Structure formats: structure tokens, C-alpha cells
Amino acid sequence: YFILGIDAFLDIPNWHMPEHLLGLVNFLVLSRPGCRFADLYSSPYLSVRKEILRKLDIRTMLSYLIKLRNENTVTLLNISPVHISATDIRARIRQGKSIKYLLPEQVESYIISKKLYAHGPKKNKASKRKCI
């Protein structure tokens, strides 16, 4: 499974070879603070009724499985909010701030030992789609 938030899934059309990626894996799309499942109605990859998305948003439904045209699946999963984001972790590293308790200790150690994210982000011409 490729696990990502609603915001990242909405941005897939801007990624390199998105249709190829959709053919490689099943997706687990998690709720994210500031995002709604209803935002996924605009995704070119999903065919799902607005009523289902609304039920996920109001938490009367916690998960829903969607088959893609290629037979892979997208599972929408409503989880308790976690206010940790990769963007914030990278920014903290660039600013020299601690990332302790935001990642597993082994991941933190690897990032620090390899000096990952210590410099500014690479320029990306595609703008990331944001949730409403």
C-alpha cells in the first residue's frame, strides 16, 4: 500500500507519470486536518458518490474501498487527526529545530546522519493542490 493524505492524493495528477503509479500499488488515503473527503470528488481517478464522501466527513462511515479502472484499489480511511506533516518536519530540520517524537527514532537518526533536508527544498514547478 502507498499511504498518503487526502491532500497528497489530490496532488497526484501533478506527479511524474501518475497513471503509471496508479497501476503499481493500492492506495490508503487518510483523513488530514484541514482536508475533507468531499474534496476527492474532483479527483480524475476516483468514481465515488458524494454521499459516501459526506458520510466519511461526518464520521458515520470510517472507511470505504474504491476499485480503480486497473483493478487496484483506493481505501479511504478516516483516522484521528495527527498534526504531524512531512513538510513541517523538513522545515524544522532546515531551521535546526528538534524533530524528536515526530518520527521513529531510527528514522530521525538516519535523516540526521545523512544530513537530509538540511538545505532548502528543490524547486518544483507543479503547485501542490491544497484542501479547502
Side-chain angles (χ1 to χ4, degrees):
Y1 282 90
F2 187 173
I3 304 170
L4 65 172
I6 293 170
D7 51 338
F9 188 83
L10 286 169
D11 195 47
I12 287 177
N14 297 316
W15 295 11
H16 180 69
M17 298 174 55
E19 279 75 20
H20 181 70
L21 175 63
L22 290 167
L24 292 175
V25 296
N26 295 304
F27 289 84
L28 185 57
V29 179
L30 307 177
S31 54
R32 294 266 298 158
C35 295
R36 300 175 307 148
F37 284 101
D39 297 330
L40 293 170
Y41 191 74
S42 66
S43 171
Y45 308 116
L46 301 180
S47 178
V48 59
R49 296 186 344 252
K50 285 183 180 180
E51 179 62 20
I52 297 294
L53 298 172
R54 188 183 77 73
K55 286 181 178 183
L56 286 162
D57 282 330
I58 62 172
R59 298 185 66 85
T60 57
M61 179 182 288
L62 296 180
S63 67
Y64 188 74
L65 180 87
I66 303 166
K67 283 225 179 230
L68 297 174
R69 284 176 254 150
N70 62 18
E71 296 302 314
N72 283 351
T73 62
V74 174
T75 301
L76 307 178
L77 184 60
N78 205 330
I79 62 169
S80 297
V82 177
H83 297 281
I84 299 172
S85 78
T87 301
D88 292 336
I89 290 170
R90 289 188 299 268
R92 292 181 71 79
I93 292 167
R94 279 192 303 277
Q95 297 164 5
K97 295 181 179 177
S98 173
I99 56 171
K100 193 167 190 70
Y101 308 119
L102 298 177
L103 299 165
E105 193 174 310
Q106 297 86 346
V107 175
E108 178 186 3
S109 177
Y110 182 84
I111 289 171
I112 291 168
S113 70
K114 300 292 182 182
K115 297 183 171 99
L116 301 178
Y117 314 121
H119 304 289
K122 294 178 182 176
K123 299 294 180 192
N124 185 354
K125 293 179 184 175
S127 62
K128 185 168 181 169
R129 182 171 180 171
K130 304 223 183 218
C131 297
I132 297 172

